[in-house]
Amino acid sequence: MPVATVGETATNEVTVTEETIEAFAELSGDENPIHLDDEYAAETMFGGRVAHGIISAAVVSGALAGLSGDIVYLSQELSFEKPVFPGDTVAASVSVIDDLGGDRLAVETTATVPERDERVLSGEAVVLSVPHSDE
């Protein structure tokens, strides 16, 4: 399998449900009531429950897996720009922007909620892209 190159892109899309949020809270131990308690969350600046920000980052991870080669996530700089609410679909896109040498690539990462036409996350990742060896 070839490796990713500058200019390559990939996408991933996930609908975030209440069950997604609850499962992530259980998995991570992040039981902040802004994610889990309707009454509490209604009184916050968001006016209701919101997904954990890192769920949007996980959708980006899925997009990275769509690049050529075996992809190994090395680092990620993220800016969480808007909330994601239960029922929102998060659409992530990644674009290889630089070859850093040594199989390392810089990748621009973005996640949006298309139905609101809002960017919810942006950043830049560094990944390894190596050929898959069939044994």
Side-chain angles (χ1 to χ4, degrees), residues 73-94:
Y73 220 147
L74 296 178
S75 65
Q76 175 77 58
E77 177 185 307
L78 291 173
S79 293
F80 298 101
E81 299 175 15
K82 298 280 183 174
V84 172
F85 299 97
D88 283 348
T89 297
V90 176
S93 61
V94 299

Side-chain angles (χ1 to χ4, degrees), residues 38-48:
D38 287 319
E39 283 185 32
Y40 178 89
E43 299 298 321
T44 69
M45 62 192 238
F46 300 114

Side-chain angles (χ1 to χ4, degrees), residues 16-104:
V16 178
T17 64
E18 289 185 12
E19 293 79 15
T20 304
I21 295 167
E22 291 163 6
F24 184 81
E26 185 175 329
L27 174 70
S28 67
D30 180 350
E31 296 181 352
N32 183 332
I34 200 164
H35 305 304
L36 301 173
D37 184 323
D38 287 319
E39 283 185 32
Y40 178 89
E43 299 298 321
T44 69
M45 62 192 238
F46 300 114
R49 288 175 63 185
V50 296
H52 303 75
I54 207 71
I55 292 174
S56 296
V59 181
V60 168
S61 180
L64 287 169
L67 294 172
S68 298
D70 286 345
I71 300 297
V72 179
Y73 220 147
L74 296 178
S75 65
Q76 175 77 58
E77 177 185 307
L78 291 173
S79 293
F80 298 101
E81 299 175 15
K82 298 280 183 174
V84 172
F85 299 97
D88 283 348
T89 297
V90 176
S93 61
V94 299
S95 178
V96 179
I97 57 172
D98 196 11
D99 183 336
L100 303 174
D103 298 325
R104 286 172 166 71

